[in-house]
Every structure is written in C-alpha cells, then in structure tokens.
Amino acid sequence: MLAVIFTALPSLLFFVVLSRKSLFQSRLTTLAAAIVAGEIFATYLAYFLSCVLREVTSGVLQKAAFTALAIMLAGITCSLASQKWRAAAALELKKFPLRSLPLLALFAWCGDQFYSHHLIRDGDIYRTQIYWDFTVIFPIVQSFVAGDNFPPENPLFSGVQLTYHYLPSLLVAVYSTFGLDLPDAINLFSIIQFSLLMLTVTAAGEEFFESKAAGLVAALLLATSGSLRFVSEFAGRKNQTVSEIISELYYNEQHPYLFALLQGNPFGYDGNMFNVFYYLQERQLLLAGSLLMIGLLIVYRRERLALFEAIAAGILFGFLFHWHIAAAMILLWSLFFFSVLCAHRSKSIAITAACMMAFGLNVVWTKATINAPQFQSLLNDFPKINFGFIEPPNVVRDFSIVRFFDYWVYSYGFRLPVIALGFSLLLRRNRCAALLLLCTAIPTFIALNTVQFFPLNIHENHKFLKLLDIPLALACAYGIVRIWSLKSFVSPVAAVVIAVAATLSGLIEIVPYLRSRPEVRMADTSIEPVEILKKNTPPDSVFVTPRATLVLMAGRRLFHTNLSDLNGNRELYDHYLKHRERHSSVMEIYGSRTVSELCKLTAKNGIDYIEPLVLRTRLLSIKGAATLNINTPQLSAVFWNLKDACSGF
C-alpha cells in the first residue's frame, strides 16, 4: 500500500499543477505526465535523502523513503491549509479523467498477466528461463535496500562506480523497503511502468492526432511486432489444417527466445529485437519510453511554456541520463533537429540548449568520477561506426544494402507502407506533430544502424530500437485510423485486415511468454540465511566467495563476481571491466602461503570477508579470527571477518 502511495501522492500533486498550467490539450496526457513527474520527484527526493543519511546512519533507504513520504504529506497538508490553493486543487481534481480509470485498470491487468509469473517467491526465488536479466538487476536493487549503496557503486565489482542507469532500480528498491518482497517489488514496478507506457502512448495519440482510438491502436502495435514471420509460419505448415495451426500456436510452450529466432530464415530475422523480449528483460525500457514520450509532448506544447520553464524542462531532459541514457540521447537529437525545422524556435532552442548543457555536464561528471583504472576502453573507444546491426549476434558478414533492405522489410512487414502513409497524412494535417515524430524516428534509425554505443556489440542498440518503435507505432496507428475513417464500406474491413497483419507475428511470439513457468531456482535466496548475513555484517562489506547470490541478496558487495552469475557474459566484462585482473587477485588470495600474505592482499583490495573454502590447510585457523556461521535448513556456510583476523598484521 505504501509503495503505491509513494507514486500516487506526488502524481496527484503534479496533476493539479499541470492541470492549472493547461500545458496539454488532453487530460489523459496531463495524467500520464503527472505520474512520470511524480515518479521522478519522489525517487530523486529519496536518493538525495539517502546520500545525506548515509553519512550519519545505516539502513538509509528505508529511513529516506519514509522521510520523503512524510515530506510530501507535510507539503500537501501545508498547501491545503491555504484556502486559495485548496479551492484551486478541488477545481483541478474535478477535471481528473475518471473515465480513463477502467482503461488504466485494463493496462494493469495485461501487465500483471504478462509479468507476474516470470518471478515468484516459493522459499527461494524462482524465475522463468527467459528472465535471465534478473541476475543483473537484483544486485543493484538489493544494494540500495540493504547495502546503503549511496552514491552507488557496482555491487558486482566493489570500488567501481555504478554506470548503469540506476534510478529505475532505486524506485524498485523504494517499493521493497516499504515491505514488499523483492519479486513483488519488481513485479509491481513492471505492472506500473507497463500501464504507464500504454497510457502515455494512448495519450500521445489523443494529443498529436486528437484521436484516442489512434493512441489505443498504437499501444497495441507497441505491445506486439509487425514482421512477416506469420507468413513464414503458415507457409511452413502446408500439411496442417487451420485449426491445427491455431491450436499449436495457442498452446506453444517453446523457449520464447529460441522460438523468435526463426531458424533458417534468409533475412537474418531476430524476433527478439521487435517483440516483447526486451520489455521483459530490461524493464527500465518501459519507463524510458514514457520519459521519452512525455518529453516530446512537452516540446510539442512548448509555446505554452514561459522561457524559464522551457529552460527548466531542457535541464530535466538532460538529467534523464541517469534514468535511461538511450532515452536522453534520443530526446537530445530530436530536440536538435526539431528546433531547426519547427516554428516557435526561441522556445525550442532554449529547451535544446539547456538539454545539451545538462546532458554534457552528466557525461563530463561521469567520466571524471569513474575509477578509470578499473575500465579498459569504455571511455575512449565508444561510440564508433559499425554497420553490423542488421545481422544476428552470432553472424558476422560484410554489410550489404540488399541484406539491409531485406532485414528491415521483413522485420516491419505490412507496417512499413502504413507508417509511410501515416506520416504523409500527418504532414498535411499537423505538420508540427509529424516533424517532431520524424525528427525522433529518422536520426534514431540512422544511429542504431551505424553507431556502436556499447562495448559488447552493436546488437546492444536494441535500446534505441525499442524506443524507435514508439513514434513508428504512432504513425502506423494514425494511418490505420485514417483508413478506417474513409467514406467507403470496405475501409473498416481494410483497416482491420491491416491491423491484424501488423500485429499477428507479435501475437504468435508472445504466447510462449505467457506460458513460461518459473522453474529456474535462484540458489541461496531463501530469506533466513540472507537475513543472518544482513544482521551480522556492515552494509558496505566486501566479500570474496563463490556464494555470489547470497551476498548480493543481502545487499553486500563482491570484489569479483563469478561469470556464471552474470550469464557467462565474459566478452562484456573482459572489455568493460578488468575482469581478468580481479580473477587473478582472487586466485592469489586463495593461494596465500602465510597469514601475513593473506592479510596484505585482502587489505590492498578492500576485502572485509572471505569464505575459506580452498585456503591452504595451515591458514584454516587464524588466532583471533571471528567467524560468521550460517547454519540453516537452506544453507550452511562460514565466513572469516578479516578485520579481526588481520588486526595484528
């Protein structure tokens, strides 16, 4: 309940403020923007309070979250004490779009049906085979909840600044610190952000096109994919009846990722780039989509902003860097090109300049504060030109215009001509909206096909592709709705046929996600041993142990993380961090011949606890060493407290 209030309370406040400002034409847009603003405000407040409290106490996030909630309640109470503000708030709240609540409930139900079964608690935590990114996300969340990780460092590699966009994970952590178990907190975040993204896209249709129907169609398009996969699927089943095909696809329990690869397809199609795969794995992309669209909608209504408000909006856009860097980058280049082409250039230029300044400051600050020796080439080697996006990750071939064309035509299928139609019609009816969407879509499409932003490979540009889908879905939806509205008896039929063709592949590929079962046990995640570790070690403790999951679930940090806990992604961590150096240091520690040597090595690397599983026999008993014993039905483990063990060295 408190987790929902933490989001709802500031959202209602911002709804009143935005409604009084009359920034948006649609009340639905005002509601979506208010929720986004409320989440940003409440999360930043909790973050800054945590950084302050970190200097004087422990268990900081819970204290910061309750303090933030109290501050927001106090602020609203003081505001309501003013009769003028109370009357204004009552007037604006009467404009609350109550008719949209059933729609929001529908989105929430869909989100619950899609997300909740992929992560559950049943003694230990269980996940589905497809949700492997949980292994990367939960250490960040738990380091906030129980590890007092402010300002944040990487819990997987102690002493290294956390460069991942961590604020969405902090919001999950706030939900958890209000009493929700970790799976429940992640699922609640996912459902809220899915609902918010669908609401934001629906509102964008109403704001740009004056058509809620177009927004709803765009939401459907965004939740599916429009490839020609369904053509290949049916063509490969010539000997089956229609009912047999439908039955097989409806009860499909194949691995969702493998099913979407479509083996043998000559166009290099990878359905995981276009379906819901990344909305499941990288759930912060849901919030990134909402942030991007609200930013574009503010720019669209820029003439209603005072100059100082435009500058403030630009600064806020630049600070989306820590919410999701891809959303901030797309918003930045959208603003740049739109300010060149649009009317009301003074406001657009003010927003763009402020955004560039804030974004640039974040880049400079991040580069300056990163512990550079821990990184190899992240800062200097990227971004760089790379034309390899169109190929699947395990295929390396020379760039070809024909393959490029085949890939994108097959992957977008019947949506492509409708997108072109939508933009063409919109340019005639609402040039400003069309230019804004085009200034978002075209540079993003060019960038994701030509520039490698991340160390692993250019396939990591999926972050940009998923955000590109939003303006394309809006344009396609507009085209479908305009076809429906034509004065011809065949127009509605044509619109329905196009809508089916534009979503059928996505509907086929989503079935295995809905039928996945949480069968993968996350070892060492039972509550009892985790609580023992939390109660008996300082929050910022650094461990060397093969029991990575236990330590990370307790919010503590690891000096070095086993590759098995990072999905075996050696290529990324060899390139991104000096993984091999840390692995060598761990081997050196476990190979220590004397107590003195062990203590010097651990002190040098800032290690507080070690599990003495493979230390030499002569070191298994150190005079004065305090041990932490965990003996539960779920786990038996021993850790040495090196501060005690090495006090004489």
Side-chain angles (χ1 to χ4, degrees):
M1 185 64 178
L2 287 174
V4 176
I5 292 174
F6 186 80
T7 296
L9 199 64
S11 299
L12 282 174
L13 177 63
F14 277 102
F15 180 84
V16 172
V17 172
L18 292 173
S19 185
R20 290 192 69 186
K21 177 66 181 175
S22 298
L23 179 59
F24 303 110
Q25 196 73 23
S26 164
R27 292 292 171 189
L28 207 60
T29 310
T30 303
L31 176 60
I35 296 173
V36 169
E39 287 185 333
I40 291 174
F41 174 80
T43 306
Y44 270 132
L45 182 58
Y47 176 78
F48 288 121
L49 287 171
S50 296
C51 289
V52 172
L53 291 172
R54 176 69 175 82
E55 302 300 319
V56 295
T57 185
S58 60
V60 297
L61 183 60
Q62 186 176 55
K63 295 171 183 176
F66 277 98
T67 303
L69 196 57
I71 289 173
M72 290 187 288
L73 281 169
I76 291 176
T77 302
C78 292
S79 299
L80 291 176
S82 166
Q83 184 177 358
K84 180 180 178 181
W85 202 94
R86 189 165 61 246
L91 178 64
E92 299 305 331
L93 287 175
K94 287 180 180 178
K95 302 174 185 177
F96 189 88
L98 292 173
R99 293 181 181 179
S100 299
L101 291 182
L103 180 63
L104 200 54
L106 174 63
F107 292 150
W109 180 82
C110 292
D112 178 65
Q113 294 298 303
F114 181 73
Y115 285 105
S116 294
H117 65 284
H118 286 281
L119 189 66
I120 66 168
R121 164 79 73 180
D122 185 9
D124 281 322
I125 292 174
Y126 288 80
R127 63 170 178 84
T128 56
Q129 287 187 339
I130 191 66
Y131 186 32
W132 55 69
D133 258 28
F134 172 72
T135 342
V136 178
I137 295 301
F138 88 81
I140 301 174
V141 174
Q142 290 300 96
S143 74
F144 289 138
V145 173
D148 294 351
N149 192 15
F150 300 95
E153 67 177 46
N154 193 329
L156 305 174
F157 291 86
S158 61
V160 179
Q161 180 184 329
L162 183 61
T163 56
Y164 198 73
H165 24 249
Y166 53 82
L167 287 175
S169 296
L170 177 58
L171 184 54
V172 176
V174 170
Y175 292 164
S176 182
T177 203
F178 280 130
L180 290 179
D181 192 22
L182 178 62
D184 294 331
I186 291 177
N187 288 333
L188 177 63
F189 172 85
S190 306
I191 293 167
I192 289 176
Q193 301 315 319
F194 176 83
S195 305
L196 178 58
L197 178 59
M198 296 297 105
L199 177 70
T200 303
V201 171
T202 304
E206 201 168 42
E207 197 76 26
F208 288 140
F209 315 136
E210 298 180 358
S211 170
K212 185 182 288 187
L216 288 169
V217 173
L220 175 62
L221 294 170
L222 194 61
T224 57
S225 60
S227 73
L228 297 177
R229 190 247 167 80
F230 75 92
V231 177
S232 302
E233 193 71 43
F234 291 123
R237 298 171 180 265
K238 293 179 181 178
N239 297 326
Q240 293 180 281
T241 64
V242 174
S243 61
E244 289 174 337
I245 295 173
I246 293 174
S247 178
E248 279 193 22
L249 293 175
Y250 181 76
Y251 292 104
N252 183 8
E253 295 185 0
Q254 297 182 54
H255 193 290
Y257 183 87
L258 299 178
F259 178 68
L261 287 178
L262 200 59
Q263 298 296 328
N265 180 268
F267 306 113
Y269 172 69
D270 180 357
N272 300 295
M273 304 301 292
F274 301 92
N275 61 28
V276 293
F277 172 74
Y278 283 110
Y279 285 148
L280 175 70
Q281 295 287 5
E282 300 180 17
R283 303 183 185 193
Q284 64 274 13
L285 269 170
L286 297 167
L287 179 54
S290 299
L291 293 171
L292 173 63
M293 284 312 303
I294 294 301
L296 293 177
L297 288 165
I298 290 173
V299 174
Y300 180 63
R301 296 299 184 187
R302 66 205 174 283
E303 76 279 359
R304 302 184 182 187
L305 296 173
L307 184 59
F308 80 91
E309 291 172 333
I311 294 172
I315 293 172
L316 176 61
F317 295 163
F319 276 90
L320 296 182
F321 182 93
H322 294 293
W323 286 90
H324 201 284
I325 189 170
M329 291 173 68
I330 292 175
L331 197 52
L332 181 60
W333 61 55
S334 301
L335 285 169
F336 176 79
F337 289 107
F338 185 66
S339 65
V340 174
L341 300 172
C342 70
H344 302 286
R345 283 193 176 87
S346 59
K347 301 285 180 62
S348 300
I349 291 172
I351 296 174
T352 304
C355 181
M356 292 177 68
M357 179 189 70
F359 186 89
L361 285 174
N362 275 289
V363 172
V364 171
W365 179 84
T366 300
K367 287 189 174 185
T369 54
I370 281 178
N371 188 1
Q374 303 294 344
F375 291 77
Q376 291 185 333
S377 54
L378 177 66
L379 299 179
N380 301 319
D381 291 357
F382 300 94
K384 66 179 182 181
I385 299 298
N386 187 332
F387 292 97
F389 172 77
I390 63 168
E391 302 295 352
N394 59 337
V395 176
V396 179
R397 293 187 290 184
D398 292 335
F399 176 81
S400 163
I401 294 294
V402 173
R403 263 199 316 276
F404 174 87
F405 181 80
D406 287 346
Y407 177 85
W408 288 108
V409 169
Y410 188 91
S411 298
Y412 277 112
F414 290 101
R415 290 190 186 187
L416 276 179
V418 187
I419 290 170
L421 175 66
F423 276 125
S424 176
L425 294 172
L426 190 58
L427 277 168
R428 298 177 184 178
R429 181 173 179 178
N430 188 340
R431 186 173 180 271
C432 180
L435 286 176
L436 183 58
L437 293 176
L438 284 169
C439 287
T440 303
I442 294 175
T444 303
F445 181 76
I446 293 172
L448 70 87
N449 279 284
T450 58
V451 182
Q452 181 176 349
F453 293 96
F454 307 103
L456 183 56
N457 54 46
I458 199 169
H459 224 58
E460 290 296 294
N461 281 5
H462 63 260
K463 301 169 177 63
F464 297 93
L465 177 58
K466 296 309 296 179
L467 296 175
L468 168 67
D469 281 345
I470 301 175
L472 295 185
L474 284 165
C476 186
Y478 183 68
I480 291 172
V481 170
R482 287 294 301 271
I483 290 172
W484 176 285
S485 65
L486 293 176
K487 296 179 179 179
S488 169
F489 72 94
V490 298
S491 297
V493 177
V496 170
V497 170
I498 292 170
V500 170
T503 57
L504 187 54
S505 293
L507 295 173
I508 290 172
E509 291 179 359
I510 205 174
V511 172
Y513 288 91
L514 299 175
R515 296 195 175 277
S516 295
R517 297 182 180 90
E519 299 173 332
V520 180
R521 173 177 170 265
M522 299 294 297
D524 299 340
T525 56
S526 295
I527 293 175
E528 186 180 357
V530 170
E531 287 300 315
I532 292 174
L533 194 62
K534 286 164 63 176
K535 289 178 181 178
N536 292 280
T537 60
D540 57 354
S541 300
V542 177
F543 284 72
V544 168
T545 172
R547 302 182 190 276
T549 306
L550 171 67
V551 171
L552 295 171
M553 280 298 299
R556 278 42 180 170
R557 298 156 179 73
L558 289 167
F559 173 71
H560 173 260
T561 303
N562 296 331
L563 289 173
S564 59
D565 291 301
L566 297 173
N567 308 317
N569 204 343
R570 179 183 294 274
E571 182 184 358
L572 173 60
Y573 279 88
D574 277 353
H575 198 92
Y576 180 53
L577 293 163
K578 291 190 175 181
H579 157 74
R580 295 176 191 272
E581 282 191 12
R582 292 220 166 182
H583 180 71
S584 298
S585 296
V586 171
M587 293 300 98
E588 192 177 1
I589 288 168
Y590 277 118
S592 298
R593 295 179 178 274
T594 65
V595 176
S596 176
E597 184 182 353
L598 170 68
C599 292
K600 287 178 180 178
L601 287 171
T602 53
K604 173 185 175 182
N605 291 293
I607 297 165
D608 303 305
Y609 289 84
I610 186 169
E611 188 172 6
L613 293 176
V614 292
L615 280 170
R616 295 173 181 273
T617 305
R618 67 174 66 94
L619 299 182
L620 288 179
S621 177
I622 298 180
K623 184 179 180 180
T627 60
L628 168 60
N629 295 293
I630 298 178
N631 290 302
T632 70
Q634 302 89 4
L635 176 69
S636 178
V638 177
F639 297 96
W640 278 356
N641 182 337
L642 294 173
K643 288 185 178 178
D644 293 335
C646 298
S647 58
F649 294 91

